[in-house]
Amino acid sequence: MSQLPPPEHIAIIMDGNSRWARERLLPRVMGHKAGIEAIRRAAEAANQRGIRVLTLYAFSTENWSRPKDEVDALMSLFSETIRREVDELARRGIELRFSGRIHELSPALQDQMRQASERTRVSSRAILNIAINYGGRIEIVDAVRELAGEGADLTQLDEARLAAHLYTRGLPDPDLVIRTAGEMRLSNFLLWQAAYSEFHCTPTLWPDFGEADFDEALAAYQRRVRRFGARPEEISNRGR
Ligand code: IPE
Ligand code: IPE
Ligand code: MG
């Protein structure tokens, strides 16, 4: 049986950092720190395998309800990581993008994010898209608000026009969504964009996620049959 071509866009719900830390009797922030290393590995693996877009769910609009010290530690980690990685990303032609309610983050972090995006946009071969302060429902509300603000006739709104106002505008929909740590839910991630994504769930906790897990997810994806609502025998163009 023929296999699907590799996905163009993979999106990952990076879950299980806290469980990873708890298993080691470490504070939660150590789990998040170890999670950053897993991000490096995943980004490297995606790049080596020619995946054009990798979206990583780093912080949800609901994650503000966590203890303040954890939220502060996460924000510091994001800032440190951008500072440390931006040169290497630029060198490798990986464009850094951010999807979410960016205007609600600290002005310093926003500046850093803007600069990192501009810096890496120059020779973009691949895209690393970080979903930060991201919520799928509010993303759709924000898109409609933006359209209304532009004076668009909402009675004539269609899917393409709405999609062009999402935080992920310009990116293809994810072909594959991976969730780590055994949970089987979307947690408000890419609700619109994942309409026909294939889903892969692994028990591996995010800080332990490595190349082998990445390849397992890819292989599972390539064995799937994507129907997009059609009869299987009518699918001439499998995948994209
Ligand atoms: C995922 O790890 C990271 C974020 C949501 C920021 P968690 O902190 O959710 O870890 P678990 O799911 O509680 O183990
Ligand atoms: C989803 O993980 C959000 C991110 C990975 C950033 P959560 O740990 O916040 O999701 P729930 O609460 O288990 O659904
Ligand atoms: Mg979690």
Side-chain angles (χ1 to χ4, degrees):
M1 201 163 121
S2 68
Q3 288 221 319
L4 285 177
E8 181 185 17
H9 181 179
I10 298 182
I12 309 184
I13 303 172
M14 310 181 289
D15 200 17
N17 292 354
S18 304
R19 273 165 276 181
W20 185 92
R22 196 181 323 123
E23 279 175 5
R24 288 162 181 75
L25 305 174
L26 292 168
R28 274 205 266 194
V29 61
M30 296 306 287
H32 296 313
K33 275 203 173 136
I36 300 286
E37 286 311 305
I39 290 180
R40 283 172 131 263
R41 290 195 298 272
E44 172 88 28
N47 202 238
Q48 283 173 355
R49 286 153 187 75
I51 309 299
R52 192 173 72 83
V53 186
L54 179 66
T55 293
L56 300 175
Y57 201 6
F59 193 87
S60 74
T61 46
E62 288 73 36
N63 287 148
W64 295 109
S65 62
R66 295 191 178 202
K68 186 175 181 304
D69 63 338
E70 184 181 0
V71 170
D72 289 348
L74 280 166
M75 294 299 153
S76 303
L77 267 180
F78 296 146
S79 166
E80 262 171 48
T81 307
I82 295 169
R83 192 174 310 124
R84 202 180 51 228
E85 302 293 333
V86 68
D87 285 347
E88 177 70 7
L89 289 171
R91 200 181 56 75
R92 285 165 48 189
I94 301 177
E95 177 185 346
L96 198 54
R97 283 201 202 178
F98 299 95
S99 295
R101 299 198 108 199
I102 305 307
H103 63 276
E104 289 177 346
L105 299 169
S106 81
L109 184 56
Q110 285 183 52
D111 275 350
Q112 226 190 337
M113 289 160 68
R114 205 173 304 116
Q115 282 170 24
S117 294
E118 279 166 17
R119 174 91 209 282
T120 53
R121 198 175 297 145
V122 191
S123 60
S124 162
R125 286 190 306 108
I127 296 170
L128 179 59
N129 177 39
I130 307 295
I132 178 169
N133 197 21
Y134 176 89
R137 286 187 171 178
I138 195 69
E139 175 182 38
I140 295 169
V141 173
D142 278 345
V144 174
R145 282 186 188 155
E146 203 174 275
L147 280 155
E150 290 170 5
D153 176 0
L154 294 180
T155 65
Q156 300 300 312
L157 184 60
D158 60 23
E159 293 187 8
R161 187 89 196 274
L162 181 69
H165 284 75
L166 296 174
Y167 310 139
T168 54
R169 63 196 76 177
L171 297 178
D173 287 341
D175 302 290
L176 169 64
V177 175
I178 300 171
R179 182 160 186 152
T180 59
E183 245 58 74
M184 297 194 191
R185 55 176 170 261
L186 279 175
S187 302
N188 208 8
F189 189 48
L190 301 181
L191 297 183
W192 174 281
Q193 299 87 337
Y196 269 103
S197 304
E198 296 296 321
F199 203 79
H200 178 79
C201 186
T202 167
T204 305
L205 303 177
W206 178 250
D208 290 327
F209 191 90
E211 233 182 331
D213 301 276
F214 196 91
D215 285 335
E216 183 194 297
L218 267 186
Y221 168 83
Q222 293 193 269
R223 287 193 298 269
R224 303 277 175 87
V225 177
R226 302 185 77 183
R227 298 207 172 109
F228 301 99
R231 288 179 191 279
E233 64 270 22
E234 283 163 5
I235 303 164
S236 53
N237 181 15
R238 298 188 58 201
R240 292 186 301 276

